Amino acid sequence: MTEGQIEKLFQQYPEFNIQESIKKGWEFFKTQPLNSVAFSLLIFTIQGLSTFYLDNYSLLISILISPSLTAGYFLVANRISRGVEVEFSSYFEGFSYWGIVIVTSLISGILTFFGILALVLPGIYLAVAFMFGIPFALFSGRDFWFSLELSRRLITMNWWKFFGFVLVLVGINIVGIIFFFVGLLITIPVSYYAIYAVFEELTADALAEPKGIPEVE
């Protein structure tokens, strides 16, 4: 991502429609319903097995594996948006970005944790502000710190709107929990797809230039 692209990114106020973003996330899900549910089930299974059978290493496994799995949702959403064929293996392409995705997730988690320890509110601010950290790490071609800073700067411009967006996503997943947790197999991928939909909407003009979103085949 060039300096010119970065300048363009912040030329416009980051406005978006929450309802339309959720709807777009749902549309992405409907494109790959079985793969989305199967991938979410696999994530739950990995987390469950590590918790019950590898309790002493569950946190380490989460740190080393979960970020790349999460990245898979964003990469698949990008494929769907571009009209590129999606296979179940496409969800594991986050491991191609293993290093930067892990560091981005780890640093954002640590900063958010210390923010919560400080006065709670800074932690809440950072939790929302770093929402695009992994997408920027995947699609901007910049390092983890620059990706987190891009996310923070962009979201801070309209932080309360993003906070409301997060609350809506939390509410949707609470509904998924109410339905015996099975609903989470749907609401979690829809949530990640919706986040990508907002990210794409706000960064499309900047990343559309040469050296923009890299092809992920």
Side-chain angles (χ1 to χ4, degrees):
M1 195 173 187
T2 65
E3 293 301 321
Q5 291 172 303
I6 294 170
E7 182 179 350
K8 178 179 287 188
L9 183 65
F10 297 103
Q11 284 178 346
Q12 296 182 345
Y13 187 70
E15 184 58 78
F16 63 98
N17 185 293
I18 294 177
Q19 182 177 354
E20 288 299 317
S21 300
I22 300 298
K23 181 179 178 181
K24 187 66 174 293
W26 174 245
E27 292 298 323
F28 283 158
F29 175 84
K30 290 196 299 182
T31 303
Q32 295 291 325
L34 295 181
N35 282 336
S36 295
V37 169
F39 184 63
S40 299
L41 181 60
L42 176 63
I43 292 176
F44 287 166
T45 301
I46 292 173
Q47 292 176 337
L49 290 176
S50 65
T51 299
F52 284 104
Y53 297 104
L54 298 170
D55 184 45
N56 294 331
Y57 303 97
S58 60
L59 178 60
L60 180 62
I61 292 174
S62 179
I63 292 174
L64 296 178
I65 296 179
S66 294
S68 295
L69 294 174
T70 297
Y73 289 116
F74 296 131
L75 291 168
V76 165
N78 176 256
R79 277 179 169 269
I80 296 172
S81 180
R82 293 185 292 118
V84 178
E85 182 181 359
V86 174
E87 299 177 352
F88 188 64
S89 60
S90 302
Y91 286 86
F92 298 93
E93 289 177 348
F95 288 97
S96 299
Y97 303 87
W98 186 77
I100 189 171
V101 166
I102 286 178
V103 176
T104 302
S105 176
L106 183 61
I107 296 302
S108 64
I110 290 173
L111 292 176
T112 300
F113 174 74
F114 281 111
I116 291 175
L117 286 182
L119 292 170
V120 179
L121 292 180
I124 295 175
Y125 162 73
L126 290 176
V128 175
F130 288 153
M131 180 165 51
F132 289 159
I134 289 181
F136 271 121
L138 291 171
F139 305 118
S140 72
R142 305 302 289 261
D143 61 41
F144 74 91
W145 186 255
F146 203 90
S147 297
L148 289 174
E149 183 61 11
L150 283 176
S151 177
R152 188 195 65 78
R153 286 178 58 193
L154 183 64
I155 290 177
T156 297
M157 293 171 66
N158 195 6
W159 188 87
W160 285 105
K161 184 65 170 286
F162 281 100
F163 179 62
F165 178 52
V166 170
L167 290 181
V168 171
L169 293 181
V170 170
I172 290 174
N173 284 283
I174 288 176
V175 173
I177 293 174
I178 292 174
F179 285 95
F180 306 101
F181 289 89
V182 176
L184 288 174
L185 297 178
I186 296 175
T187 60
I188 285 180
V190 168
S191 297
Y192 281 116
Y193 293 155
I195 291 172
Y196 176 81
V198 177
F199 173 80
E200 182 181 66
E201 178 182 353
L202 298 179
T203 63
D205 290 342
L207 293 177
E209 296 178 13
K211 299 181 182 179
I213 296 178
E215 294 290 325
V216 181
E217 299 296 346

